[in-house]
Amino acid sequence: SAVISQKPSRDICQRGTSLTIQCQVDSQVTMMFWYRQQPGQSLTLIATANQGSEATYESGFVIDKFPISRPNLTFSTLTVSNMSPEDSSIYLCSVEVQRESEQYFGPGTRLTVT
Amino acid sequence: KNQVEQSPQSLIILEGKNCTLQCNYTVSPFSNLRWYKQDTGRGPVSLTIMTFSENTKSNGRYTATLDADTKQSSLHITASQLSDSASYICVVRGYSSASKIIFGSGTRLSIRP
């Protein structure tokens, strides 16, 4: 299994500012993912972050807006840049443990942009 | 059109009753189908995972079924408890390693005492 923690758990930010979300896993994993979940909606994949390589972004998401770091096999950060109210959402970190064919999710970071 | 459709969108039942949630998908071929439970303010937690060759899988009071021919899955909850109030998300993964994981929009289940 994998236990994931995220910081902060929630934040209220002003438009135009940036917020960096941290994701820490209790074991080494190759693949980490960042998702966004808007109110009442399902999860949408933002990007895949593999250690030692550039993150791979999904259609509609760009590195300038959502820069990601993956310095080692247990940690990643997602920055939401130049925020607008449309960025208000829950941001979730996830990892895949391939030997278990299982995907684990962090508790999420609830972001409100005013 | 979403490749994973869930119904109903929301459901309210009395504590102790059973219920069944539906998931229809068009992802093909697919590798596996999962059901997740997401409590309010939490990340999703896996309940079951089934490959295309499996028809049913149980996890306590949760039983998932899969019909790969009709591309339908269901999650049956027996003797519901207040703690079952949550969103239930159906997730389908395509067959190749490059395939995306497609999330359904979820069913919001509320258990009333």
Side-chain angles (χ1 to χ4, degrees):
Chain A
S1 66
V3 178
I4 305 171
S5 59
Q6 287 186 231
K7 288 182 182 179
S9 59
R10 58 177 60 220
D11 207 342
I12 301 173
C13 303
Q14 290 191 337
R15 70 171 66 209
T17 62
S18 298
L19 176 72
T20 295
I21 302 168
Q22 299 179 6
C23 175
Q24 181 75 52
V25 190
D26 69 341
S27 57
Q28 294 185 337
V29 292
T30 302
M31 300 180 75
M32 294 181 77
F33 308 91
W34 286 98
Y35 288 87
R36 181 173 74 183
Q37 187 176 28
Q38 295 182 306
Q41 302 292 317
S42 188
L43 282 73
T44 301
L45 181 63
I46 297 172
T48 301
N50 292 335
Q51 195 266 340
S53 63
E54 293 286 327
T56 303
Y57 290 82
E58 296 300 304
S59 175
F61 299 97
V62 295
I63 188 171
D64 290 346
K65 176 69 176 176
F66 297 101
I68 287 171
S69 78
R70 182 79 201 275
N72 56 54
L73 292 175
T74 63
F75 186 79
S76 178
T77 67
L78 170 76
T79 299
V80 186
S81 304
N82 188 24
M83 289 183 285
S84 66
E86 292 71 34
D87 294 320
S88 296
S89 187
I90 298 173
Y91 292 85
L92 295 124
C93 172
S94 174
V95 303
E96 184 164 25
V97 180
Q98 291 188 325
R99 64 180 179 277
E100 298 178 19
S101 297
E102 192 59 81
Q103 186 170 2
Y104 297 91
F105 290 85
T109 295
R110 183 179 293 273
L111 171 63
T112 302
V113 183
T114 60
Chain B
K1 186 180 188 303
N2 197 353
Q3 297 179 62
V4 179
E5 299 277 355
Q6 291 187 244
S7 62
Q9 202 169 36
S10 62
L11 181 63
I12 301 173
I13 64 172
L14 292 175
E15 184 179 11
K17 298 295 186 182
N18 304 335
C19 67
T20 300
L21 313 180
Q22 299 290 344
C23 174
N24 296 339
Y25 61 92
T26 59
V27 179
S28 182
F30 84 101
S31 173
N32 59 61
L33 184 148
R34 309 169 193 224
W35 282 93
Y36 285 89
K37 178 186 179 187
Q38 185 176 22
D39 292 309
T40 301
R42 302 286 187 93
V45 174
S46 179
L47 294 175
T48 64
I49 177 171
M50 289 185 292
T51 65
F52 69 92
S53 62
E54 296 178 288
N55 300 120
T56 184
K57 184 162 284 189
S58 292
N59 179 1
R61 293 179 297 101
Y62 301 103
T63 299
T65 65
L66 174 64
D67 186 333
D69 292 332
T70 62
K71 297 185 173 55
Q72 295 179 324
S73 177
S74 65
L75 181 69
H76 186 74
I77 304 175
T78 305
S80 61
Q81 300 176 358
L82 297 179
S83 60
D84 292 331
S85 295
S87 288
Y88 292 83
I89 305 172
C90 175
V91 183
V92 180
R93 182 170 201 164
Y95 186 75
S96 73
S97 59
S99 298
K100 296 192 186 304
I101 298 172
I102 310 296
F103 287 77
S105 56
T107 292
R108 179 74 199 167
L109 176 64
S110 297
I111 309 298
R112 296 282 191 255

